[in-house]
Amino acid sequence: YNNCEADLMINKDKVWTWDEIQPDRTDRWIVAIDGKAYDVTDWASTHPGGPLVLQHHRGRDATDAVSAFHRPNARKMMGKYCIGRMEPNPVPPSTATLEYRKLAAAVEAAGLYKTSYAFYAGTLAWCALLLGAAWWLAGAGYVIPGALAVALFWQQVAFVGHDAGHHAIAHASRRVDEVLGLGVNAAVGIGLSWWNNTHNTHHCVVNSADCDPDIQFMPLVANSPLYFKSLFSKYHMDEMTFDAAARRLISIQHFTFLPLLCIARYGLYLQAFLHLLHGKPVYTRAGRWGELGVQLGFFLWYGTLV
């Protein structure tokens, strides 16, 4: 974070304490990264990973989270948000954190983060072939083979959308990843901004019962005993109540889980629309109405195929 040094010329005498940056002490969103303090309040609403990720790290050391999710070109932008240095962290890194840092360094040194553009070109060609085959099979009356081709197409192209949503294909060009992500959005019907908001939060708070939206399925499914009492969702900002109805539904989840999976994607479509219509953050240059158009485009081509 060498870019921070220039900004520190203004704040060179300011050393922030951990107590000062706690959410109950300031309404600013301040995080610590590599021994420096960053005020990300004004950046939160446009953060590609969603504001909730930043909110979760308010008043905390976000060094490892930043290292895991950001490439060098993104780090260069952080200097302008630097507001001083942090006092030494009184809590030493855990053994797990130290081991993670070793693993991350080994993966970086091995070049495993470098994109193989030939791989993605081949994958997209394969996906186009599957979609074309599905269209031909459906038109020729081969419904079951056509359905299988569509299913395989969705499964394959979704991984491209996953990587584009993480800005992990073009890296330096956010616009290219956005175009790919919106293309996959049109192909599978899963909203890009909704996905960014939930999935990046998931990666930062993996399997946290009250924070991770990707495991909060109450009252239909409980994947932790923590849900056997009412729990407040810090993502949805709502109570997940374990009442009599929830108790009954959870008691039969071993029977209902697979049937639920058959219709779960329709819930994803609904959440994508609600995200856009309820004024939640949009992270693409297409804007809210542009993403709504992409969503409707999916139903247009899929409805035509069906």
Side-chain angles (χ1 to χ4, degrees):
Y1 301 96
N2 292 332
N3 288 51
C4 186
E5 297 304 324
D7 298 87
L8 282 174
M9 295 300 292
I10 302 174
N11 306 290
K12 62 181 178 180
D13 296 325
K14 176 61 179 175
V15 177
W16 292 81
T17 67
W18 292 97
D19 186 56
E20 285 179 305
I21 69 172
Q22 297 308 304
D24 61 349
R25 291 290 306 276
T26 176
D27 59 355
R28 306 300 293 176
W29 291 24
I30 302 176
V31 298
I33 305 170
D34 276 346
K36 298 182 179 70
Y38 293 81
D39 184 342
V40 296
T41 310
D42 298 330
W43 168 241
S45 62
T46 54
H47 180 230
L52 288 173
V53 174
L54 297 178
Q55 184 180 28
H56 177 74
H57 286 90
R58 286 180 67 189
R60 301 172 59 187
D61 190 333
T63 300
D64 291 295
V66 168
S67 297
F69 284 99
H70 299 82
R71 305 300 297 156
N73 62 299
R75 297 183 184 188
K76 292 177 182 178
M77 300 171 57
M78 296 181 183
K80 59 185 176 181
Y81 301 108
C82 184
I83 57 172
R85 294 184 173 86
M86 287 300 304
E87 68 174 351
N89 194 335
V91 181
S94 65
T95 300
T97 296
L98 294 174
E99 290 300 317
Y100 163 76
R101 291 175 182 175
K102 289 180 183 178
L103 177 62
V107 170
E108 182 80 45
L112 298 181
Y113 290 129
K114 294 180 180 178
T115 298
S116 170
Y117 295 106
F119 167 80
Y120 284 104
T123 300
L124 289 174
W126 167 237
C127 289
L129 179 63
L130 286 171
L131 182 59
W135 209 276
W136 181 85
L137 288 166
Y142 300 107
V143 177
I144 299 302
L148 291 173
V150 168
L152 186 56
F153 163 72
W154 278 340
Q155 185 270 338
Q156 292 285 288
V157 79
F159 284 112
V160 178
H162 172 275
D163 294 351
H166 277 303
H167 301 292
I169 299 177
H171 297 298
S173 177
R174 180 179 170 186
R175 185 181 295 273
V176 171
D177 281 331
E178 278 185 7
V179 170
L180 287 171
L182 288 171
V184 174
N185 187 165
V188 301
I190 308 301
L192 182 58
S193 284
W194 168 80
W195 183 90
N196 270 332
N197 212 43
T198 59
H199 194 71
N200 285 306
T201 302
H202 155 74
H203 273 298
C204 278
V205 287
V206 176
N207 292 339
S208 170
D210 58 341
C211 295
D212 186 349
D214 281 5
I215 65 168
Q216 295 176 353
F217 306 121
M218 290 292 290
L220 299 175
V221 174
N223 43 42
S224 166
L226 294 174
Y227 293 116
F228 295 162
K229 57 181 180 179
S230 294
L231 196 64
F232 186 79
S233 169
K234 294 178 182 176
Y235 177 84
H236 296 290
M237 300 303 291
D238 198 9
E239 192 82 13
M240 296 180 287
T241 306
F242 190 69
D243 53 17
R247 184 183 298 275
R248 178 56 182 163
L249 289 169
I250 297 306
S251 71
I252 58 172
Q253 69 177 11
H254 51 300
F255 295 117
T256 59
F257 182 70
L258 288 178
L260 283 171
L261 286 182
C262 295
I263 59 173
R265 68 181 301 109
Y266 296 100
L268 302 183
Y269 301 153
L270 177 61
Q271 290 183 74
F273 275 113
L274 291 177
H275 181 92
L276 294 171
L277 294 174
H278 285 182
K280 293 186 177 180
V282 172
Y283 308 110
T284 66
R285 291 174 177 83
R288 192 173 309 279
W289 291 106
E291 287 201 32
L292 278 169
V294 171
Q295 282 291 108
L296 294 173
F298 163 77
F299 287 102
L300 178 64
W301 80 259
Y302 183 52
T304 303
L305 178 63
V306 173

